[in-house]
Amino acid sequence: MEINTPQKKTILSGMQPTNDLTFGQYAGALRNWVELQHEYDSLFCVVDLHAITVRQEPAKLRKRSLDVAAMYMAAGIDPNISTLFIQSHVPEHAQLAWVLNCMAGFGEVSRMTQFKDKSAQHADNVNVGLFTYPVLMAADILLYNADLVPVGEDQRQHLELTRNLAERFNFHYSPTFTVPEPFIPKVGAKIMSLQEPEKKMSKSDANDKATVFLIDSDDVIMSKIKRAVTDSGTDIVYDAEKRPGVANLMTIHHITTGKSIAEIQSDFDGLGYAEFKEAVGEALVAFIRPVRERYTALRSNEESLKATLKSGAEHARDRARKVLRKVYKKTGFVEL
Ligand code: TRP
């Protein structure tokens, strides 16, 4: 573990092990985490407690939690630099969540738009866990006194709730929690669906041609790019509003080759969609292949993967325990 020097700020983030990770998640989140881990005291978790707010098959959840952890590493999260762990291995998350639940207003939690969306999507299972999901997320963050939380725009409201809960606790008892800031990349690479480029690429899209997964084979990646929906235009020009399909392919090409949008525009000047898709597909294949290969190697040694996660969880717990102890004491629980 890197030494946690006091001047280093802490960041924490997590993803749910509800599906295979997508290129969209890589471009929008993982890629940033990999960069940030060198500058910050970093914690990255696989949030399995969050995952069960939607019905999960136990065997799949178990497998996917390990899949996601291995993919974090394949993408470049270094467990010797960052604290990498599975949320349920650190029981303090659930313990702090309970205390925070007792400070969160029913009204303020009711306003969370993700709850409204998800309860519409899963109308047959609108459970209390789904409702209180953002409070558990607040616990994840406050338990480590994270300064910054790298998340997508869709999580801004949850971060605002986290800040309110931290301030409320600090005010009612005494200063305890760092009030975290969301860390939303300004030029965030938002990857859109390959089939409906007006909406975000999603790991749970019903149309499997819409999403590139980081475990997709070369052929599958190529065919998804070739079948990507574009428009009736012919030239390669960036216009996210009017021509979202082409713009999305340009963004993908930018990420996988490092070329700027202007360079891409001039490189493909006079060429058509077919040539462009060929190039985007090839670069994406070349980009994902080593990630997939590292993933396969890491995932095939489950013993070693679990040992890494065990040491990550121990490290996380050491920190979490101290913060939770303070919280319990201030709340009025008897210490023996
Ligand atoms: N709610 C986040 C999402 O759906 C996942 C998450 C859970 C998270 N706990 C977190 C993200 C803590 C950042 C910090 O994307």
Side-chain angles (χ1 to χ4, degrees):
M1 267 339 122
E2 226 164 61
I3 297 154
N4 177 15
T5 45
Q7 63 269 32
K8 251 191 185 180
K9 290 193 168 183
T10 300
I11 62 169
L12 176 138
S13 200
M15 287 183 192
Q16 295 191 54
T18 44
N19 213 332
D20 294 322
L21 297 189
T22 70
F23 180 72
Q25 287 173 293
Y26 174 82
L30 265 180
R31 190 169 63 114
N32 297 325
W33 298 3
V34 170
E35 290 293 315
L36 294 170
Q37 69 181 337
H38 300 290
E39 265 176 80
Y40 294 91
D41 161 39
S42 311
L43 299 113
F44 300 111
C45 55
V46 177
V47 292
D48 56 348
L49 298 178
H50 280 91
I52 63 163
T53 56
V54 168
R55 218 167 269 128
Q56 301 294 332
E57 249 179 69
K60 269 196 191 151
L61 179 61
R62 209 171 279 129
K63 175 185 172 294
R64 281 199 179 124
S65 297
L66 295 171
D67 292 350
V68 170
M71 194 54 94
Y72 282 3
M73 285 161 69
I77 298 298
D78 180 346
N80 295 310
I81 296 177
S82 301
T83 302
L84 168 63
F85 66 102
I86 294 181
Q87 187 186 28
S88 65
H89 291 161
V90 183
E92 285 79 4
H93 288 246
Q95 292 175 293
L96 179 59
W98 178 253
V99 176
L100 296 177
N101 268 321
C102 298
M103 304 201 74
F106 189 84
E108 71 183 336
V109 180
S110 303
R111 285 193 293 275
M112 298 293 119
T113 58
Q114 197 171 62
F115 171 69
K116 292 181 200 166
D117 294 347
K118 283 204 178 175
S119 46
Q121 270 168 33
H122 303 277
D124 59 330
N125 181 23
V126 184
N127 61 77
V128 179
L130 188 64
F131 181 73
T132 193
Y133 173 117
V135 179
L136 176 60
M137 176 166 165
D140 300 341
I141 296 164
L142 301 181
L143 203 44
Y144 303 95
N145 283 314
D147 298 283
L148 297 166
V149 185
V151 282
E153 192 57 50
D154 63 329
Q155 297 297 312
R156 194 186 279 283
Q157 202 186 22
H158 292 166
L159 249 295
E160 206 44 55
L161 176 72
T162 304
R163 291 168 53 84
N164 289 336
L165 291 173
E167 279 167 356
R168 196 170 304 155
F169 192 98
N170 291 348
F171 178 78
H172 275 284
Y173 299 100
S174 60
T176 308
F177 294 124
T178 302
V179 180
E181 301 275 348
F183 196 44
I184 299 170
K186 276 192 198 65
V187 277
K190 190 164 166 192
I191 304 297
M192 312 305 279
S193 156
L194 296 177
Q195 293 297 312
E196 294 163 82
E198 307 75 26
K199 59 175 220 194
K200 198 170 149 185
M201 181 178 278
S202 161
K203 59 186 169 176
S204 48
D205 202 306
N207 182 346
D208 72 343
K209 290 199 285 294
T211 307
V212 173
F213 292 97
L214 296 172
I215 54 159
D216 279 347
S217 69
D218 293 356
D219 291 349
V220 167
I221 296 168
M222 201 60 175
S223 107
K224 284 177 178 173
I225 294 297
K226 286 194 172 164
R227 290 186 210 176
V229 167
T230 43
D231 53 57
S232 55
T234 51
D235 50 349
I236 313 304
V237 173
Y238 190 91
D239 184 343
E241 288 284 300
K242 296 200 186 86
R243 301 171 65 192
V246 176
N248 189 37
L249 293 176
M250 292 176 85
T251 305
I252 293 173
H253 205 53
H254 157 66
I255 289 170
T256 55
T257 61
K259 285 186 190 168
S260 70
I261 296 292
E263 265 178 282
I264 297 170
Q265 224 157 263
S266 82
D267 282 1
F268 290 92
D269 189 27
L271 297 175
Y273 286 175
E275 287 105 328
F276 181 54
K277 283 182 169 177
E278 186 78 36
V280 173
E282 274 171 16
L284 185 58
V285 162
F287 183 87
I288 289 181
R289 187 187 295 135
V291 175
R292 186 184 61 227
E293 285 173 358
R294 279 197 295 276
Y295 168 80
T296 308
L298 287 159
R299 189 65 183 87
S300 66
N301 191 345
E302 204 165 296
E303 286 296 292
S304 153
L305 179 60
K306 283 182 172 169
T308 302
L309 291 169
K310 190 164 185 218
S311 104
E314 279 162 5
H315 190 247
R317 262 202 105 171
D318 280 344
R319 298 175 60 160
R321 206 182 276 126
K322 292 191 187 102
V323 175
L324 187 74
R325 184 180 298 144
K326 264 199 219 167
V327 169
Y328 268 26
K329 214 168 156 180
K330 295 189 189 199
T331 304
F333 296 158
V334 175
E335 215 181 5
L336 293 178

